[in-house]
Amino acid sequence: MDSNRYKLLLLGGAVRLYFSNTSLASLIGNRVEFATPLNSFKRLQEGVFLLQQGVDPYGGDLVHESPLLLKALSGILLNYAQWLPILYILFDLCTATLLYLLSHTFVKQKLKQQQGECKDYAKDTEELQYSENDQFKIPELVLLAYLFNPLTILSCVGLTSTVLSNLLLALILYTMVKRQLFICVIVLAFETVRSLYPVVLIAPLLLIFARRSVGLSIAILMVFVTSCFAVAGANFLVMNSWNYLDGTLGFIFYFRDLQPNIGLFWYFFTEMFEHFRTMFLITFQLNATVLYLVPLSIKLRKEPLLLATVLIALMAVFRAYPSLGDVGFYLALLPLWRRCWKFMAHGFVVFTFFLITLSMMGALWHLWIYAGSANANFYFGATLAFSTGQIFLITDLLFAHVKRVFCLYNGQRILIDGEEARILLE
């Protein structure tokens, strides 16, 4: 299987390299579905240039990447710009490798857990249980789902910084599964200070490392907060100014740029009266962060990785500046829950939603912006349907998990008055 993994990585890298040398790279770099004010390569270039000229990149409203990343990438952008696509491809391949490794570890842990629980399982549930073959099958499916998903390929080809976000998220999940607390907290703090929304991943982190200890939970939270301050301080040392906070976290929270994207914020705040802005801004940001955190954490307290997957998916739907690269990342995690697929009832509906809406976005954008024969309602209708499809997928996965757990202990055939009953969630 290792040789197959390396072949898939090489093939995935070759596909990205091929498209990086075509006109598709510049096209994707300008598409609002992939490039947002937060992850746009052009804005990153502008930030590096201003930083090198001694000008505060956050003095205007153009640059929103963290100072540490601007500083880290400045040498490559200024001296070896032609090698930058190779660097992004390597980042993407590292992400795929981390996802493969965490999948392998996750399945091994599930098999070990099953050994202690299988005596309580019903007799007809073998197909719902993880098998030895899953140690190879599931990691390979995860690898394929990330390497050859058009959304992740095009995100890499367009040189969006979503590639870096995906790498950091994969590292967070990998260190969670491997029980490497210190690295997990540091990386999560860095990504939180950079893009705000990953702060919700503190919940699965606490469930893994401190499920039954309040004192340890408080200690981890204190380390996390301290790490956030340390990362913020490091950014301050780069800029010698706190302006970057308003240009990064402030820009995300206050949603100052109404450029269209695949999210739900831009259309609503374009149409809304200004004196209602603060109330709805807080409402939308709560919806994107803490609104679902407590109920999901309670329900999925025994499945922290599933909780992390659902939270990452909800981030991709409800965050202020989402991109298709964010969607591609959580789609690659779905094979982890292969044993739940039997109960996922809306697969065809979700696939149809994705296929049609993704096909329509480009056409409706052209009709709106270039042809002038449509308006914002057309484009927002497509993005709203796409978000609806994602919600169908997330809820379908959650319901499938609940049904699988129920059937493991009660059997797949439940008889009431001698007739087979159907399991419905209402």
Side-chain angles (χ1 to χ4, degrees):
M1 293 304 296
D2 283 344
S3 61
N4 287 340
R5 180 182 65 176
Y6 294 132
K7 290 176 183 177
L8 290 173
L9 287 171
L10 287 174
L11 182 58
V15 170
R16 286 161 171 76
L17 183 61
Y18 171 78
F19 286 114
S20 295
N21 293 315
T22 66
S23 58
L24 186 64
S26 58
L27 174 65
I28 295 301
N30 293 318
R31 291 296 311 178
V32 295
E33 295 87 1
F34 289 94
T36 71
L38 293 182
N39 69 2
S40 170
F41 178 64
K42 287 186 176 181
R43 296 191 182 223
L44 179 66
Q45 283 181 306
E46 185 70 21
V48 169
F49 176 78
L50 292 174
L51 190 64
Q52 290 301 116
Q53 298 301 314
V55 179
D56 185 358
Y58 307 99
D61 199 31
L62 186 66
V63 181
H64 310 292
E65 188 54 86
S66 69
L68 284 172
L69 277 178
L70 288 180
K71 191 68 175 178
L73 294 175
S74 60
I76 300 173
L77 268 170
L78 294 173
N79 302 311
Y80 307 100
Q82 69 275 17
W83 296 105
L84 201 63
I86 302 294
L87 180 63
Y88 273 68
I89 291 171
L90 290 176
F91 284 154
D92 232 18
L93 297 183
C94 287
T95 302
T97 302
L98 285 171
L99 292 179
Y100 178 90
L101 294 175
L102 84 85
S103 304
H104 190 265
T105 303
F106 170 75
V107 176
K108 287 178 64 177
Q109 292 174 354
K110 277 294 180 184
L111 289 171
K112 185 177 180 180
Q113 178 185 339
Q114 276 186 183
Q115 289 178 0
E117 298 177 349
C118 62
K119 62 180 182 297
D120 299 321
Y121 291 164
K123 294 182 179 179
D124 60 339
T125 59
E126 287 76 13
E127 64 174 318
L128 303 181
Q129 300 176 31
Y130 287 88
S131 65
E132 292 293 333
N133 188 50
D134 285 335
Q135 292 188 73
F136 310 104
K137 189 69 174 180
I138 289 179
E140 186 173 319
L141 287 174
V142 169
L143 192 64
L144 287 168
Y146 188 83
L147 284 177
F148 302 104
N149 188 328
L151 304 184
T152 55
I153 292 174
L154 294 178
S155 185
C156 179
V157 168
L159 299 181
T160 65
S161 59
T162 301
V163 172
L164 299 174
S165 297
N166 290 347
L167 175 60
L168 293 173
L169 287 175
L171 183 57
I172 291 169
L173 297 179
Y174 174 73
T175 50
M176 277 187 188
V177 171
K178 297 291 288 185
R179 304 296 197 272
Q180 297 172 350
L181 176 60
F182 182 73
I183 298 175
C184 186
V185 170
I186 295 298
V187 179
L188 179 58
F190 180 83
E191 184 63 6
T192 297
V193 173
R194 178 173 171 260
S195 55
L196 182 61
Y197 297 104
V199 67
V200 298
L201 295 179
I202 193 67
L205 187 150
L206 292 176
L207 288 174
I208 289 176
F209 293 102
R211 180 181 299 174
R212 295 180 177 87
S213 174
V214 176
L216 183 56
S217 298
I218 295 174
I220 292 175
L221 284 173
M222 291 178 64
V223 172
F224 172 70
V225 172
T226 303
S227 301
C228 288
F229 279 113
V231 173
N235 282 316
F236 171 79
L237 293 177
V238 172
M239 297 302 306
N240 200 28
S241 167
W242 292 107
N243 287 346
Y244 80 90
L245 285 175
D246 186 61
T248 53
L249 296 180
F251 178 79
I252 295 171
F253 183 82
Y254 291 108
F255 192 70
R256 298 195 184 102
D257 196 318
L258 299 178
Q259 173 182 306
N261 53 53
I262 65 168
L264 305 174
F265 274 66
W266 68 273
Y267 186 85
F268 186 85
F269 284 95
T270 300
E271 300 292 331
M272 186 187 59
F273 290 113
E274 189 63 26
H275 54 277
F276 292 124
R277 180 179 175 85
T278 302
M279 181 187 71
F280 282 105
L281 188 64
I282 294 173
T283 302
F284 270 61
Q285 295 292 9
L286 287 175
N287 183 65
T289 51
V290 300
L291 184 61
Y292 310 103
L293 188 59
V294 173
L296 286 175
S297 297
I298 294 173
K299 184 62 183 177
L300 301 177
R301 61 190 180 278
K302 295 182 180 179
E303 293 286 353
L305 190 59
L306 178 58
L307 173 62
T309 301
V310 172
L311 291 175
I312 290 171
L314 290 173
M315 278 193 283
V317 178
F318 294 121
R319 68 195 304 164
Y321 301 98
S323 74
L324 291 179
D326 301 319
V327 178
F329 180 81
Y330 80 77
L331 290 179
L333 297 174
L334 295 183
L336 290 173
W337 318 107
R338 179 168 174 256
R339 292 301 172 181
C340 296
W341 288 359
K342 172 183 173 65
F343 300 108
M344 294 182 71
H346 304 301
F348 177 75
V349 175
V350 170
F351 175 77
T352 304
F353 262 103
F354 276 46
L355 182 63
I356 294 177
T357 54
L358 289 173
S359 302
M360 290 176 62
M361 283 180 193
L364 294 176
W365 178 265
H366 179 83
L367 291 174
W368 174 26
I369 299 300
Y370 297 102
S373 57
N375 56 41
N377 297 311
F378 288 71
Y379 186 76
F380 179 68
T383 60
L384 181 61
F386 181 66
S387 297
T388 302
Q390 293 184 77
I391 296 300
F392 269 112
L393 177 60
I394 296 168
T395 54
D396 202 18
L397 176 62
L398 287 172
F399 287 164
H401 167 71
V402 173
K403 292 175 183 177
R404 173 183 176 268
V405 172
F406 178 85
C407 289
L408 276 175
Y409 292 96
N410 296 277
Q412 298 191 67
R413 295 184 71 251
I414 300 173
L415 300 178
I416 299 178
D417 296 331
E419 297 184 2
E420 187 171 351
R422 296 179 59 193
I423 302 173
L424 298 176
L425 294 175
E426 297 181 355

